[in-house]
Amino acid sequence: MGRGPERWYVEIHPEQLRGFVDLVTHPWVVSVCRAVLGPDYEIVELGFDIPFPGAVTQPWHRDFPMPEETRLRRRLTSLAFNLTTVDTVEEMGPFEIAPGTQWDDGRDFDHEMFPSKDRYPRYEARAVRKYPRRGDISARSALTIHRGTPNLSDLARPVLVLGVDAPGAGNAAHHDMAVTRGYWAGLPDLVRAHLRCPVVDALVPIRQKHTIEGLVMGAG
């Protein structure tokens, strides 16, 4: 799925990732999920976000409209964990965020996701670029205004994304994650308690639904 020029996102099933169990049982990941989303959090998404050489600046955006639970009660209902597969340097086009903007209302954004360009100076004043190294894990709200920056290197910058919801958040509807019966049978109880996806006889490629139309052409 395109996320801008030379920038792609591909979703996978848990058993297609060596180390999936290690990731979702990592004490820090489990602790953050419980603290922010509650004890009944749900693992809903697994994929790779990949800016290839030639990827351009994305428009400032959030990944979906703000839920009413967040707007009215200032409660986050989802988290995205990012794990880089490379040591990130400036030329690779680091991820850039505007801290604190997860609370921006956003009802006047285009599709409630894309702020108008007259707001860009505020985000640029707050902007922080991230330079993670292999082995680093970060957690963020996908409501935080963010963007990818140009990849001027000759290397791709793949980032693993793990999406986790509070009960009822509804983001699982955008993803078709599944596990086979044999894989399910071998999972620890801690994983099965939070993996609310179909158990099937055979996996099929995920038909990706989480389209972000405004990213396709880049910032322009």
Side-chain angles (χ1 to χ4, degrees), residues 128-156:
V128 176
R129 292 192 174 189
K130 298 296 183 177
Y131 301 92
R133 302 178 66 82
R134 282 183 296 175
D136 290 346
I137 308 175
S138 66
R140 65 183 177 90
S141 166
L143 297 175
T144 303
I145 306 299
H146 62 278
R147 66 181 177 181
T149 62
N151 187 348
L152 305 177
S153 75
D154 58 0
L155 300 172

Side-chain angles (χ1 to χ4, degrees), residues 42-168:
E42 302 173 3
I43 299 165
V44 298
E45 177 186 8
L46 188 67
F48 283 93
D49 194 345
I50 312 170
F52 285 91
V56 301
T57 303
Q58 290 180 311
W60 288 106
H61 66 283
R62 58 177 37 145
D63 289 343
F64 44 78
M66 177 178 284
E68 286 300 296
E69 181 76 7
T70 304
R71 180 175 292 111
L72 298 177
R73 299 179 179 84
R74 292 179 70 86
R75 177 174 175 266
L76 297 177
T77 61
S78 66
L79 288 172
F81 291 87
N82 287 3
L83 295 88
T84 181
T85 65
V86 295
D87 294 342
T88 304
V89 297
E90 181 68 26
E91 291 75 18
M92 290 178 177
F95 185 66
E96 191 169 51
I97 67 169
T101 55
Q102 69 271 24
W103 306 119
D104 288 9
D105 188 286
R107 280 177 287 189
D108 61 341
F109 293 176
D110 188 14
H111 298 288
E112 299 188 44
M113 297 164 59
F114 293 89
S116 59
K117 290 187 177 181
D118 61 0
R119 299 192 183 201
Y120 280 20
R122 174 172 175 258
Y123 305 133
E124 287 160 3
R126 291 172 173 240
V128 176
R129 292 192 174 189
K130 298 296 183 177
Y131 301 92
R133 302 178 66 82
R134 282 183 296 175
D136 290 346
I137 308 175
S138 66
R140 65 183 177 90
S141 166
L143 297 175
T144 303
I145 306 299
H146 62 278
R147 66 181 177 181
T149 62
N151 187 348
L152 305 177
S153 75
D154 58 0
L155 300 172
R157 185 178 63 80
V159 177
L160 178 67
V161 180
L162 174 72
V164 188
D165 269 5

